[in-house]
Amino acid sequence: MFIYLDNSASTKPSKEVIEAVQETLCSVFGNPSALCGPGLAAERLLKAARVDLARTLSCSPSELYFTSGGTESINWVLRGVWKARKRRGGRIVSTAVEHPALINCCEGLREEGAEIVLVEPEPDGRIEASKVASAISPDTILVSVMHVNNETGAIMPLSEIRKAIDASGSGALFHTDAVQSYGKLDCDIRQLGVDFLSLSGHKVHAPKGIGALYIKSGIHIPAFILGGGQEGGMRSGTENVPGIAGFGAAARRIAERREEDLELIKKARARLLERIKSDIGDIRINSPEDACPSILSMSFMGCKGEVLLRMLDSEGICVSTGSACSAKKRDSEVLKAMGLSSFEMEGALRFSFSYENTPEEMDYVADKLRDAVERQRSLMRYPKG
Ligand code: PLP
């Protein structure tokens, strides 16, 4: 048995992605900047993938730049806006529950003189638009709020935040890290109201090392990598053509099947949650009720998440204790910001789903999880007394 429930860390490449990558490696090997036939074929492939991706965001292909992933896109926006606008003002508003890619980039900018204001989450993990509004000052140059949190699945109120930015009169730009929402929720740029949006391929069944950044037409930030002038001179370096082919194939599936795939995800999550609630006592659901269906965070009191993870792993079930990036740290910064106690954080597990998971698999997971929790609780003599 092998059941993969760590899809927020990375996903298994889909059949159509593997085919697209393989086909590209075998026959589209030219340099997209070259003028010979193979080069032109590679250039055509890039153009088609950009169109496929743009269709899923309702933006223009010319507003999309391929990058190496979510981390690069986020760094480009933050560093780019800071460089372009620091003379206008020094404040960047974000949240305490962002991915380390953003938090650590902000830390670097703080050392360069930026004033970083991180809005704290509500106890359920969501960010209140009114609190973001209060943090925006006349000298705010950028507001960056993730679309979906990678540990809890909390969905952030982006369109309300857009309104708050407009009402503030600050002229601040608006970025969202849509790495976890893309492919699950509607990421129509016009609805979200953002000026920048970061994406990562490996969270949507495309390869690792490919991502994209949307930059609204008319907004100017400096180029991120200088060199041969690829990606409109904004991000030089010979393009990752096989990765882009895979990302394009993933985007086509998103355009055609997002809602159907989301139904499968919802069914799997609902079955697991229902079984855990009926079979295991003393739990805490850390995800908000209306979380993105691909993520479920829970704490099992009296257990250590790490030990549960290993017990499940030995049964062929892959889960995580939090985000992959913070797996080696003791406490989750996100759960801590939500006010969970150390005891509650210790027993946390994150289940993250894909359209490949089935309700039958979830029954197996629930059985093994119940046994693992019971075994651990009896070893820890929980509950005491
Ligand atoms: N943002 C979020 C919310 C993520 O979950 C991740 C990856 O875990 C990233 C950014 C970083 O993306 P990448 O791995 O493509 O650099």
Side-chain angles (χ1 to χ4, degrees), residues 358-378:
T358 64
E360 294 69 37
E361 281 182 349
M362 296 308 109
D363 285 336
Y364 178 82
V365 175
D367 289 344
K368 297 295 173 193
L369 182 62
R370 183 197 51 220
D371 296 349
V373 169
E374 273 173 13
R375 259 192 291 157
Q376 237 202 101
R377 282 180 178 167
S378 76

Side-chain angles (χ1 to χ4, degrees), residues 8-9 68-72 74 99 101 146 148-150 177 179-180 199-203 210 325:
S8 288
S68 66
T71 302
E72 181 183 323
I74 292 166
H99 188 270
M146 69 201 322
V148 163
N149 180 265
N150 49 303
D177 166 355
V179 165
Q180 294 292 344
L199 295 178
S200 171
H202 73 103
K203 311 287 183 178
I210 185 67
C325 306

